[in-house]
Amino acid sequence: MAGLLLCSGLAFAQRPAIAIIIDDLGNNTKDERAVDLPGAIACAFLPYAPYTKALAGKAHSLNKEVMLHAPMESLHGHAMGPGSLTLHMTEKQFISTLQEDLAAVPHVQGINNHMGSLLTRHPGHMLWLMQEMNRHGDLFFVDSRTTLGSVAQSVAAENSIPNLDRDIFLDAEPGAEFVEKQFARLLKIAQTQGMALAIGHPYPETMKVLEQRLQQLDTHGIDLVSVAELIQRKKQEPPSWQLSSSPLHKVAKSSKP
């Protein structure tokens, strides 16, 4: 039967689910608005931003997932900020920088890439990343998919790192109207494929839309879950609604290449 889980011989309905990550946190006290969003919002912090430690502590106290938003080199040479992982690094430099980045974000549970349209194309550097994640403990990885050429998620899977990639950027273009449209697309993907993952940023327009729309999810029959929960669902056999629907194509366009 479609969308059913079996437990002790009994069937329980599993509703479609979404997870949402808010990136670029820690630079501004106004980022607290993202931490205060209702439900299981994951909060991705830049490693050396001035408010990362305080806001990550608050996010953890609210039972929200805390992630390292790891700065990675882009194709266009955009400034990445402190703690950047670059293509020219030796393995030793790469691992040392990653360890320091992880230590800079308290309560970290997972990693996703900040920019990275160059670095995530390189299997060797992604292998260093995943090997260190395995040494660090029980971390998950989310490929932000800032390039269609990314190999990050496949290398994560090869190294037994729990992983996902994003389906939607909520605010790749400015304005509440675009965010509304992307949020509607997010729900459609969840309804047709059983689950979907979105990434957004602490822009006022994004926050306003999420503050309103997250309260209405129940009317759509959709659950907001943690990234870890979405990964667990991904590990299950695909529900039959995935077999009867063609997936919506991911778009690599991002405000963060």
Side-chain angles (χ1 to χ4, degrees):
M1 295 178 67
L4 293 182
L5 294 176
L6 294 179
C7 180
S8 301
L10 299 175
F12 295 90
Q14 178 174 256
R15 304 200 311 177
I18 61 169
I20 298 175
I21 301 169
I22 304 298
D23 278 355
D24 292 354
L25 295 176
N27 274 322
N28 198 304
T29 55
K30 293 180 181 177
D31 292 351
E32 190 168 9
R33 186 175 178 184
V35 175
D36 287 333
L37 284 169
I41 298 292
C43 299
F45 291 92
L46 295 165
Y48 299 102
Y51 301 101
T52 284
K53 288 188 182 296
L55 290 178
K58 178 173 182 180
H60 179 70
S61 73
L62 294 174
N63 297 316
K64 296 184 187 296
E65 285 170 325
V66 173
M67 299 176 63
L68 166 63
H69 193 39
M72 298 187 192
E73 190 171 359
S74 76
L75 282 167
H76 305 293
H78 295 284
M80 296 167 283
S84 301
L85 301 169
T86 66
L87 196 59
H88 75 270
M89 285 178 163
T90 65
E91 181 177 3
K92 183 177 180 180
Q93 290 170 329
F94 187 99
I95 296 302
S96 176
T97 301
L98 178 58
Q99 288 173 340
E100 291 168 358
D101 289 352
L102 285 165
V105 181
H107 313 294
V108 64
Q109 297 167 265
I111 296 177
N112 73 334
N113 53 293
H114 172 56
M115 298 190 279
S117 56
L118 176 62
L119 198 69
T120 60
R121 293 170 178 253
H122 288 266
H125 290 68
M126 292 300 98
L127 179 59
W128 296 345
L129 174 68
M130 305 311 165
Q131 288 175 337
E132 182 57 30
M133 288 182 69
N134 268 327
R135 286 190 288 266
H136 193 273
D138 188 18
L139 297 175
F140 61 79
F141 178 77
V142 173
D143 189 348
S144 301
R145 279 282 176 187
T146 55
T147 171
L148 291 176
S150 175
V151 298
Q153 189 187 19
S154 62
V155 176
E158 289 164 5
N159 287 271
S160 302
I161 299 290
N163 66 85
L164 284 174
D165 66 341
R166 64 97 194 146
D167 295 286
I168 290 286
F169 275 121
L170 291 173
D171 44 21
E173 296 180 16
E177 183 177 349
F178 182 83
V179 179
E180 290 274 12
K181 193 177 301 183
Q182 291 295 89
F183 192 81
R185 286 190 64 216
L186 176 69
L187 300 189
K188 175 119 184 236
I189 294 172
Q191 288 164 341
T192 57
Q193 299 187 47
M195 63 184 71
L197 174 65
I199 292 177
H201 303 84
Y203 306 146
E205 299 87 352
T206 306
M207 296 298 99
K208 184 176 180 181
V209 171
L210 290 178
E211 285 162 354
Q212 294 172 347
R213 297 299 177 224
L214 291 176
Q215 307 282 5
Q216 302 166 2
L217 282 177
D218 200 49
T219 65
H220 297 281
I222 293 175
D223 295 325
L224 175 66
V225 302
S226 67
V227 176
E229 169 66 17
L230 214 63
I231 290 171
Q232 285 300 316
R233 291 187 181 214
K234 177 192 168 188
K235 290 179 180 177
Q236 299 162 4
E237 287 295 319
S240 59
W241 61 62
Q242 289 189 12
L243 305 177
S244 59
S245 331
S246 55
L248 301 176
H249 294 293
K250 295 185 191 333
V251 178
K253 181 175 180 181
S254 169
S255 57
K256 305 186 305 170

